[in-house]
Amino acid sequence: DSECNYYKVSTCVSEQRENIKKGDERRLNTSHPSSVFPLTPRCHPDVTINPSLSVTLAPRSYCSSTRTQKTTKEFRQEAYQYNNGDDGAMLVGLENIGNTCFMNSALQCLIHTPSVQSYFIRGEYKKRLLFKSPSCGEIAERFAYLVNVMNQQPLHKAVNMRQFRETIVKWVPQFSGYGQHDAHEFLRSLIDCLAEDLNGDSENNQQRDKIYEMKDDALSKLSPLQQGKYWWSRHFLLNSSYITKVFCGQMISTTECTVCRNRYHCFDPFYDLSLPIPSREDRCGIIGTALRRKKNSRVEANECTLEQCLRNFSKEEILDGENMRQCSRCKKRQRSTKRLLVNRFPSILVFHLKRFSNSRRKLNTEVAFPLKSLDVSSLYYHNEDCNSSATHLKKPILYDLYALCNHTGSLHSGHYTA
């Protein structure tokens, strides 16, 4: 019943060790528009892992535990123990080819996802390859080759991923050249390509022509839970890859007319959640002005927690003026509210911190986050819906952090590590 909270090696092992030795006392600062947090749930279904790995995922009942906010020194001390192979993990780096740190760090996070790693090492992906996909299955095959090469390398060695990069550039030309790119954008592109390449389920392929289309009138009579199940079954019938099973969740957008209280629900699949960082006013509130007068107020005003980012993501939005929606009951455009929540959580939850301001400047707000037992139940739609059945109400939904993709520097220069 091992906990799946472990860390990734840096794309540059020597740099990572040097950083660990420095023992910086600052809080962890995930300060780039593409700081990515892949999380794994505390109550995860059974997953078979490569026998060489000592970290396993086992079912956990919903439970509460003490959540700790780690400092950089504590984080690096634990990472140092991990980097010495105490867990017997795949501690292999990737060579930087030009400015490919964005690609290397995203790959390290994805490859060190235990269930994904096991899936490609065991060769299970071969049964699901779809040679009619846009890349003809080539990206999935090249990714599997890279995973197996890294698995066979000695500890603390580096692998040249030139062939993988050439395959990516061939099918996703936006990453051509040797300039810097956004790690989040690359990760999303890679996950999309892998999902397309591994969508060759023969059983689902035969059923795709038999998809039942429900009319809007019939859908409106269903409860939000039933509507969500309909749209999810439809999506999964068209996209049944292993990547979809692991990373894909379902978002629900609820729009409510402020006049007649009529609600409209829209469901969309997602592979990650882009979290806006709260403004200084949202973080400090009414007493923010008084806090900034204190000696350490500058630090307090430039910090927030991941929970605050989650609340900012799901806060209610007012649709007024040109943004007013057509109300089906009032038969005209009305002022309404809109809120985003999660209807179905994935096995692996990826967060992306949005660090672009309106002035195209980078937001350097430090975001503190728990390494274990992050409760995301505040995002769960059925915890907000008072009409839901008792089995859905107020269940804690806990995730453990297992990988982090971070950028240091500015929008114009810097370096990614994982």
Side-chain angles (χ1 to χ4, degrees):
D1 196 18
S2 303
E3 291 185 358
C4 47
N5 176 33
Y6 60 99
Y7 308 88
K8 305 288 108 28
V9 296
S10 169
T11 53
C12 180
V13 175
S14 59
E15 179 182 344
Q16 175 76 1
R17 286 186 168 181
E18 193 65 29
N19 290 337
I20 294 170
K21 292 178 182 177
K22 291 179 183 178
D24 190 0
E25 294 285 353
R26 295 174 300 173
R27 301 286 293 275
L28 282 173
N29 179 15
T30 56
S31 50
H32 189 265
S34 286
S35 297
V36 182
F37 298 79
L39 305 170
T40 186
R42 293 299 296 271
C43 49
H44 196 287
D46 289 317
V47 179
T48 304
I49 306 298
N50 180 12
S52 65
L53 296 178
S54 62
V55 179
T56 59
L57 301 178
R60 282 181 174 270
S61 58
Y62 287 107
C63 60
S64 60
S65 61
T66 303
R67 286 187 279 172
T68 58
Q69 305 288 345
K70 293 287 185 179
T71 64
T72 305
K73 182 177 180 180
E74 294 170 331
F75 184 90
R76 286 174 175 166
Q77 285 175 345
E78 294 185 21
Y80 179 76
Q81 296 175 355
Y82 182 81
N83 286 345
N84 278 290
D86 295 344
D87 291 350
M90 187 199 300
L91 306 180
V92 178
L94 293 170
E95 294 181 4
N96 197 0
I97 308 171
N99 290 320
T100 58
C101 58
F102 74 94
M103 184 179 295
N104 296 9
S105 56
L107 282 171
Q108 288 283 15
C109 292
L110 185 58
I111 290 174
H112 281 81
T113 302
S115 55
V116 173
Q117 184 184 119
S118 174
Y119 182 76
F120 283 95
I121 290 177
R122 292 175 178 269
E124 298 175 19
Y125 72 96
K126 297 178 182 178
K127 304 175 184 178
R128 303 295 300 274
L129 276 174
L130 181 63
F131 295 103
K132 294 182 180 180
S133 67
S135 73
C136 306
E138 188 175 348
I139 291 180
E141 288 186 314
R142 184 58 64 183
F143 179 79
Y145 178 78
L146 179 62
V147 174
N148 281 274
V149 168
M150 292 180 65
N151 185 54
Q152 296 169 9
Q153 289 294 313
L155 294 179
H156 305 144
K157 297 296 181 180
V159 172
N160 188 304
M161 37 80 75
R162 186 179 300 275
Q163 291 180 333
F164 176 82
R165 180 189 171 277
E166 291 174 352
T167 303
I168 289 293
V169 170
K170 175 182 176 181
W171 297 106
V172 194
Q174 67 195 66
F175 297 110
S176 59
Y178 291 93
Q180 184 63 276
H181 293 276
D182 186 78
H184 172 244
E185 184 180 359
F186 169 74
L187 180 63
R188 280 301 310 272
S189 298
L190 178 57
I191 287 179
D192 288 341
C193 291
L194 292 176
E196 291 174 343
D197 285 354
L198 301 175
N199 200 26
D201 189 338
S202 57
E203 182 178 347
N204 277 16
N205 290 339
Q206 296 174 0
Q207 298 179 5
R208 285 170 187 168
D209 296 332
K210 303 178 181 179
I211 296 178
Y212 175 67
E213 296 281 354
M214 290 188 68
K215 296 183 179 180
D216 293 341
D217 293 340
L219 274 173
S220 62
K221 297 177 181 179
L222 300 178
S223 67
L225 181 62
Q226 293 171 325
Q227 292 182 38
K229 288 182 177 179
Y230 165 77
W231 287 114
W232 178 255
S233 61
R234 175 186 169 85
H235 171 74
F236 196 73
L237 195 61
L238 297 171
N239 306 272
S240 59
S241 72
Y242 183 77
I243 298 298
T244 302
K245 292 180 181 178
V246 174
F247 289 98
C248 190
Q250 187 183 51
M251 187 78 63
I252 176 172
S253 172
T254 303
T255 304
E256 182 177 357
C257 176
T258 57
V259 178
C260 66
R261 298 302 174 184
N262 181 38
R263 286 187 175 186
Y264 174 76
H265 304 283
C266 181
F267 297 85
D268 292 295
F270 70 89
Y271 284 101
D272 60 65
L273 298 178
S274 292
L275 306 181
I277 296 177
S279 64
R280 179 173 297 186
E281 291 75 15
D282 292 337
R283 296 195 303 270
C284 299
I286 300 176
I287 61 174
T289 303
L291 286 175
R292 283 192 288 272
R293 294 175 182 172
K294 296 182 179 180
K295 182 178 180 180
N296 61 344
S297 61
R298 180 173 298 179
V299 177
E300 293 179 358
N302 200 37
E303 286 185 359
C304 72
T305 64
L306 188 57
E307 287 87 348
Q308 287 176 313
C309 295
L310 294 174
R311 288 195 295 269
N312 197 36
F313 170 82
S314 62
K315 70 179 181 181
E316 196 171 75
E317 176 186 0
I318 303 296
L319 301 179
D320 202 355
E322 296 181 355
N323 296 322
M324 288 194 301
R325 298 292 182 89
Q326 182 77 15
C327 177
S328 59
R329 184 178 295 174
C330 298
K331 305 299 181 182
K332 63 178 182 178
R333 289 162 58 88
Q334 295 282 27
R335 188 172 184 267
S336 57
T337 61
K338 179 181 177 181
R339 190 180 187 189
L340 290 175
L341 291 170
V342 177
N343 187 58
R344 182 185 294 267
F345 282 95
S347 297
I348 302 296
L349 180 59
V350 181
F351 289 140
H352 160 238
L353 296 181
K354 299 167 64 176
R355 291 190 175 273
F356 282 114
S357 64
N358 294 332
S359 59
R360 303 296 294 174
R361 295 180 59 186
K362 179 180 175 180
L363 301 175
N364 291 314
T365 304
E366 294 185 352
V367 179
F369 52 89
L371 301 183
K372 300 179 181 179
S373 301
L374 172 68
D375 190 357
V376 295
S377 57
S378 62
L379 294 181
Y380 191 38
Y381 172 77
H382 300 288
N383 280 352
E384 301 293 331
D385 186 6
C386 61
N387 296 323
S388 299
S389 60
T391 57
H392 291 299
L393 294 179
K394 304 304 178 184
K395 265 188 177 180
I397 303 173
L398 307 178
Y399 283 83
D400 288 345
L401 180 71
Y402 77 93
L404 173 68
C405 177
N406 188 41
H407 181 273
T408 54
S410 66
L411 292 179
H412 306 289
S413 63
H415 184 58
Y416 279 102
T417 54

